[in-house]
């Protein structure tokens, strides 16, 4: 199929982009890399009258070391994140998750801000951003505001980005010296995650000192496993010691049931993947 007819606006400043969104309201849709939006338009699941392209707005792409955190522009592509050594050093779990995103063509076009705004619970970016305690910087008519990742994902394909607003950056606290892993289970290559687990953790003397765990496709939004994180602290980093704790990671979640597996299967799978991810993250 081909998309329905729409007008195209390519602003050259953030102010122009926000003005275009204010003018057209619900009839407008923001396009970043287009890797999520274009298939939706082709299937006519969304038929905006105006597309506002952020591709020519300066200052929305790139990675900056801001001291205690990395500031990642919303228009930064997956490949730019993979190519920047600072991201691997300070936010390793994000790099490991992005290597699982589709294929090189999409990684060269898709953007982190676009993926977060799209908020597909099966996407590979939400869980690592949640595990890293990132903050989304959102610009709108009233200026900038910051929303922590724990409050950003509202529901299925719904975020804290309001009408007339855009994500301009993601601020990621540095997790220097932390280990990381992203376990993704799929049936075929380049598939959306049936279940994914993002872990960043720090061990001392073979014992887990701190851990952050977030789940992909285990609900209508990415899920942070706070109870499991707390239970992991002080535990020896061995498969046997982790087995029971990690098996509980699916408790309280509401994963989908579809042809790839029912909810019960996904909860079991999440426990297995969490144990693997924690062991990898702490180098056990």
């Amino acid at each position: 199929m081909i998309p329905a007819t729409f007008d195209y606006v390519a602003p050259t400043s953030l102010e122009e982009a926000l003005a275009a969104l204010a003018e057209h309201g619900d009839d407008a849709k923001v396009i970043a890399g287009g890797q999520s939006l274009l298939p939706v338009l082709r299937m006519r699941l969304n038929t905006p009258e105006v597309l506002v392209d952020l591709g020519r707005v300066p200052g929305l792409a790139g990675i900056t070391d801001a001291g205690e955190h990395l500031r990642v522009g919303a228009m930064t592509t997956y490949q730019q994140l993979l190519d920047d050594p600072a991201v691997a050093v300070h936010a390793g779990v994000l790099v490991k998750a992005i290597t699982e995103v589709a294929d090189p063509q999409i990684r060269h076009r898709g953007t982190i801000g676009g993926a977060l705004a799209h908020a597909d619970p099966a996407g590979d970016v939400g869980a690592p951003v949640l595990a890293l305690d990132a903050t989304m910087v959102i610009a709108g008519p009233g200026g900038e505001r910051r929303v922590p990742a724990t409050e950003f994902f509202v529901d299925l394909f719904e975020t804290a980005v309001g009408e007339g607003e855009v994500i301009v950056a993601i601020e990621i606290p540095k997790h220097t010296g932390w280990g990381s892993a992203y376990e993704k289970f799929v049936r075929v290559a380049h598939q959306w995650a049936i279940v994914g687990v993002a872990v960043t953790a720090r061990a001392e003397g073979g014992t887990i000192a701190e851990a952050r765990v977030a789940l992909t496709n285990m609900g209508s939004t990415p899920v942070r496993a706070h109870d499991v994180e707390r239970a992991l602290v002080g535990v020896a980093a061995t498969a046997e010691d982790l087995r029971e704790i990690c098996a509980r990671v699916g408790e309280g979640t509401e994963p989908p049931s579809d042809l790839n597996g029912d909810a019960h299967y996904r909860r079991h799978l999440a426990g297995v993947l969490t144990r693997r991810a924690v062991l990898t993250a702490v180098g056990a």
Side-chain angles (χ1 to χ4, degrees), residues 33 35 77-79 101-111 190:
Q35 302 309 292
T77 66
Y78 298 126
Q79 192 61 46
V101 172
D103 53 45
Q105 291 171 311
I106 287 177
R107 291 196 291 270
H108 277 81
R109 288 292 304 167
T111 66
H190 305 161

Side-chain angles (χ1 to χ4, degrees), residues 100-104 107 184 186 188-192:
E100 299 292 335
V101 172
D103 53 45
R107 291 196 291 270
K184 176 179 178 178
V186 296
V188 296
H190 305 161
Q191 185 184 24
W192 297 104

